[in-house]
Amino acid sequence: MKPVRTLAAALGEGSLVLDGGLSDQLRAQGCDLSDDLWSARLLADGPWQIEAAHAAYVRAGAQVLITASYQATYEGFARRGIGRDRASELLTDSVALARRAGAGVAREVWVAASVGPYGAMLADGGEYRGRYGLSVRELERFHRPRIETLAAAGPDVLALETVPDTDEAEALLRAAGGCGVPVWLSYTVAGDRTRAGQPLAEAFAVAADEDDVIAVGVNCCDPADADAAVALAATITGKPVVVYPNSGEEWDAKTRRWAGEEQPVSSPFSPDRLHAWQTAGARLLGGCCRVGPARIAEVAEALDAERGAR
């Protein structure tokens, strides 16, 4: 069952808990994610695993689930011999799996259909560089078909996420325009710039006057980089802010591993940051890579405590 309130209406009433890294929970369930399709492979080979991972985040207190479609593209599926019709079914299934996982609890759970950047399809860490040598128009043509398919599947919002530069942000917003589903736009950043090196003030301004954009912010970045970005996103756009950083560890695109994966370091991702993010304008708060259900449970507990203190 879809929530009674729209996500935009809910954000107008307070903060919501996002889920964490879907791949982290899938690995914890024993799934092999070494394929170029990453978690999207399981849409075809193990959809029950994806639903179970979503359900783990629901149990942890997540109120918004992000689908397994980040790396799901028609081009990527085609390389695996999956035809266009079947690819459309898998993209649609990504929304249905998240919806089912949230249906069994006595609270509203919203579904965000993930639309990853062009670099995610390359499976070479390109989303951390941007500037693929494609024009805005070419990027728009790439993104439009799957955005249309995902929108038709009935999510509550499209998560245009891990966007590395303003050209791709513009292309994504054009592709999503008129699809009938609101969007959030979330950049991956380093310091006070996008991964492609553009000032964040310019990047956030791309979405400032877009009525379909219900939240703007950052994800898949160091938690420390999110601190200033949240306040800047709120100031530039006047919109609710979405923030879901990584644990703080470094990703090695060549080895496809996180630094410290075998001997994890103390994570700078902490619920202690939540109050500052909320004060600065954050309304969608969660985690990305290497942030699992245990951390999201801490986020949910901290937000519940803040609500109770008011």
Side-chain angles (χ1 to χ4, degrees), residues 23 43 67 183 213 215 261:
S23 62
L43 290 170
T67 66
V183 307
V213 178
E261 188 167 345

Coordinates of all heavy atoms in Angstrom, one line a residue, residues 23 43 67 183 213 215 261:
S23 N 23.8 -2.4 -0.9 CA 24.8 -3.4 -1.2 C 25.4 -3.9 0.1 O 25.8 -5.1 0.2 CB 25.9 -2.8 -2.0 OG 26.6 -1.7 -1.4
L43 N 18.2 -8.2 -9.3 CA 16.8 -8.0 -9.8 C 16.4 -9.2 -10.7 O 15.2 -9.6 -10.7 CB 16.7 -6.7 -10.6 CG 16.8 -5.4 -9.8 CD1 16.9 -4.2 -10.7 CD2 15.6 -5.3 -8.8
T67 N 15.4 2.1 -4.2 CA 15.4 0.9 -4.9 C 16.8 0.4 -5.4 O 17.7 1.2 -5.4 CB 14.5 1.0 -6.1 OG1 15.0 2.0 -7.0 CG2 13.1 1.5 -5.7
V183 N 11.0 14.6 -7.7 CA 12.4 14.1 -7.6 C 13.2 14.7 -6.5 O 12.8 15.8 -6.0 CB 13.1 14.3 -9.0 CG1 12.4 13.8 -10.2 CG2 13.5 15.8 -9.2
V213 N 11.3 19.3 -8.0 CA 12.4 18.9 -7.1 C 11.9 19.2 -5.6 O 11.7 20.4 -5.3 CB 13.7 19.6 -7.4 CG1 14.8 19.2 -6.4 CG2 14.2 19.3 -8.8
A215 N 13.6 18.0 -2.8 CA 14.7 18.0 -1.9 C 16.0 18.0 -2.7 O 16.0 17.5 -3.8 CB 14.7 16.8 -1.0
E261 N 38.3 -2.4 4.6 CA 37.1 -3.3 4.6 C 37.3 -4.5 5.5 O 36.4 -5.0 6.2 CB 36.8 -3.7 3.2 CG 35.5 -4.5 3.0 CD 35.1 -4.6 1.6 OE1 35.7 -3.9 0.7 OE2 34.3 -5.5 1.3

